[in-house]
Amino acid sequence: MDSSAIWIMISIIVYLIGMVIIGAICSKKNKSTDDFYLGGRKLGPIVTAMSAEASDMSSWLLMGMPGVAMIAGLAEATWTAVGLAIGTYVNWLIVAKRIRRYSSKIGAFTIPDFFSKRYNDKKNILSLISALVIIVFFVPYTASGFSACGKLFNQLFGWNYHMAMIISAVIIISYTCLGGFLAASFTDLIQSIVMTSALVVLVIYGVHTAGGLDNVLENAKGIENYLSFTSTRTAEGEAVSFGGLSIISTLAWGLGYFGMPHILLRFMAIDDKNKVKISRRIASVWVVLAMGVAVFIGIIG
């Protein structure tokens, strides 16, 4: 292992230890069920916005979207980004303030709990259904995050993929169980800062390595249909049509936000429903800029 890999390893270890420490600190602030599940509904607008978007974008922003842009071209990555940006904004606009107000009024701490209390479900049938839906659809979603961790350590250090994935999962579960929702929110805030810094550094490094912005653009223009919004490319480099149905399908990614529990819980946890507008603006601007940079990193690649 060379010196650069050693410093990368040290940085990651320090980062992971820091996440666990945050979990331990937050655990001391949890005095009730409300504290553990929703941080006592005391999240400020910046923490609410950035933790929501960091937990949503996660490995997709840093690995998935640049990879799609690099391999498939501009069309698929751009239309997906547009759908996600619209979904982010509309979700904050329509859902956030309402679910904050209603969940506080009826004393709901989780999404299943919210549905049962909101519709006076004495038999908890709605609670059961929503819990099952979350379990079924969140298992692969969570697994994709653990998978990204495994691939990261495997590519950087040659670690066994499964072992790296298990270690990452243990760290994440540890600080979440220790500090609850508050720990998850503050670690996500820190992760959003790390993600933003990484995107900026990658653009600067990538453009420099490619020999300048002009070289990046000229190379992209030289690849058939790479910069087209109605054509995409297969992994083998073959150009294929990206028509209306494909565009609608990728735009529809944004619909997922309206049912993501980790996003909705951030809405429920903000300290003042009237601060939702501030969070919406912060979240929307960050998402648009971050995804735009991620797509550009793919083009540089």
Side-chain angles (χ1 to χ4, degrees):
M1 185 180 294
D2 59 25
S3 59
S4 62
I6 292 173
W7 281 112
I8 293 172
M9 172 76 76
I10 293 172
S11 300
I12 292 176
I13 291 174
V14 170
Y15 173 79
L16 294 176
I17 292 174
M19 296 298 101
V20 177
I21 291 174
I22 290 175
I25 293 172
C26 290
S27 68
K28 299 178 181 178
K29 299 182 179 181
N30 293 327
K31 307 298 182 183
S32 65
T33 302
D34 189 11
D35 290 338
F36 186 82
Y37 285 112
L38 284 180
R41 300 185 199 267
K42 296 176 182 177
L43 294 190
I46 295 177
V47 177
T48 301
M50 297 310 298
S51 66
E53 301 316 318
S55 64
D56 160 48
M57 291 296 171
S58 58
S59 55
W60 161 248
L61 180 68
L62 295 180
M63 298 174 69
M65 184 165 283
V68 170
M70 184 176 71
I71 295 172
L74 205 58
E76 187 171 346
T78 301
W79 288 116
T80 301
V82 170
L84 292 174
I86 294 173
T88 297
Y89 180 80
V90 175
N91 193 27
W92 278 96
L93 182 66
I94 295 177
V95 178
K97 192 171 183 178
R98 289 175 172 84
I99 198 170
R100 171 61 177 86
R101 184 173 64 247
Y102 273 115
S103 63
S104 178
K105 182 178 180 180
I106 62 181
F109 301 136
T110 66
I111 299 302
D113 188 36
F114 171 78
F115 280 120
S116 284
K117 291 181 177 179
R118 173 69 177 83
Y119 296 103
N120 198 30
D121 179 24
K122 301 296 185 183
K123 296 182 179 180
N124 291 318
I125 295 176
L126 287 176
S127 181
L128 176 62
I129 293 173
S130 56
L132 289 174
V133 168
I134 290 172
I135 290 172
V136 169
F137 290 99
F138 237 63
V139 166
Y141 182 88
T142 306
S144 68
F146 292 153
S147 175
C149 294
K151 290 177 181 177
L152 173 68
F153 285 101
N154 177 261
Q155 292 294 318
L156 284 177
F157 309 115
W159 290 9
N160 178 273
Y161 166 75
H162 294 97
M163 183 58 64
M165 186 168 58
I166 292 171
I167 293 173
S168 302
V170 169
I171 296 292
I172 295 169
I173 293 171
S174 295
Y175 71 71
T176 303
C177 290
L178 274 172
F181 181 80
L182 201 60
S185 297
F186 275 99
T187 54
D188 283 338
L189 172 64
I190 294 173
Q191 287 164 18
S192 72
I193 297 171
V194 173
M195 291 162 68
T196 304
S197 303
L199 290 171
V200 173
V201 170
L202 277 173
V203 168
I204 296 172
Y205 176 78
V207 170
H208 175 73
T209 303
L213 185 60
D214 289 341
N215 283 353
V216 172
L217 298 178
E218 285 300 318
N219 185 63
K221 291 176 183 177
I223 303 175
E224 182 184 3
N225 292 327
Y226 184 80
L227 297 180
S228 170
F229 289 104
T230 57
S231 178
T232 188
R233 299 170 59 81
T234 65
E236 291 74 28
E238 179 185 357
V240 294
S241 174
F242 198 79
L245 183 59
S246 298
I247 292 174
I248 293 172
S249 296
T250 48
L251 286 173
W253 276 50
L255 294 174
Y257 286 127
F258 298 91
M260 288 186 171
H262 56 302
I263 303 294
L264 300 180
L265 286 176
R266 263 67 178 194
F267 298 162
M268 293 165 61
I270 191 168
D271 60 356
D272 184 348
K273 64 180 184 296
N274 296 316
K275 294 180 181 178
V276 166
K277 182 184 291 187
I278 300 174
S279 294
R280 181 177 73 236
R281 290 171 178 172
I282 294 171
S284 300
V285 170
W286 185 82
V287 162
V288 170
L289 292 177
M291 288 194 297
V293 172
V295 171
F296 185 55
I297 288 172
I299 295 173
I300 294 171

